[in-house]
Amino acid sequence: MRFDPDNKETAPVLQLDQVVRTFGALRAVDGVSLQVAAGSITGLIGPNGAGKTTLFNTIAGSARPDAGEIRLRGERIDGLRADQVFHRGLGRTFQIPRPLATLTVTENMLLAPTGQSGEKFWNSWLARGRLRAQDAAHLAKARELLDFVGLSALAEQKAGVLSGGQQKLLELARILMVDPALILLDEPAAGVNPVLLESLVARIQDLHRRGVTFLLIEHNMDMVMQLCNPVVVMAQGRVVMQGTPQEVRADARVIDAYLGDAP
């Protein structure tokens, strides 16, 4: 299905068509086709080595596909650099968060917005008023988002002192600074204590109610079944099936590839 700008409710935000990514003789991503609908939380599951993270890297521009097409809001992004994909509205978190540890939480937030006037040195002399207004707006937005994810009390702390779960909340807040069309979440539950995980899930659900679209990789099946619909299952670089959480749990191919004898 092609993106129809006059029919945004049914058009996919993200569309992959026969995407391939190889490493020598290994086809880590082997002809993957899938769609992520606007406003959905789409889960991507599968055993270790299924190709999920490689697929994320290929979507986000960290790796280039060997074949196939990737479209974000109808525009091809396959072959673009990661920064170019980001500027087109795709945000991505990592299984291991990557804040700038020596900067404060707020400073990390303020690095996110693109197209800042201060990036052009002559604006420091020619457009000081505009710079001050833009800086004030970015700071206000950063404070609002830090409050949203529950990190306001740590705003002036160095990001390096945050726990793993807090760093994931910071990553999510930092991405929201640019109002992305789609957020890729790479194992958001990994290494997060139950209390912070509950907070993270609540924030994702809140954003979903506001219309934010997510594609997430996750091994925590309880979280997947709670958050995601549809769920896409990968094994050996290919999509095995896609369906509702209930359909995925009951599918024999999924049980064979991933869930084993789990009920």
Side-chain angles (χ1 to χ4, degrees), residues 131-150:
L131 278 176
R132 284 194 295 269
Q134 186 182 72
D135 289 346
H138 288 160
L139 181 58
K141 185 172 185 177
R143 288 172 173 167
E144 178 183 354
L145 288 170
L146 289 174
D147 184 59
F148 171 71
V149 299

Side-chain angles (χ1 to χ4, degrees), residues 103-136:
L103 298 183
T104 68
V105 168
T106 299
E107 288 168 340
N108 269 268
M109 294 288 289
L110 295 176
L111 289 175
T114 60
Q116 299 191 54
S117 298
E119 293 174 355
K120 298 178 180 179
F121 73 92
W122 55 81
N123 281 336
S124 299
W125 293 277
L126 301 179
R128 292 183 181 180
R130 184 172 65 190
L131 278 176
R132 284 194 295 269
Q134 186 182 72
D135 289 346

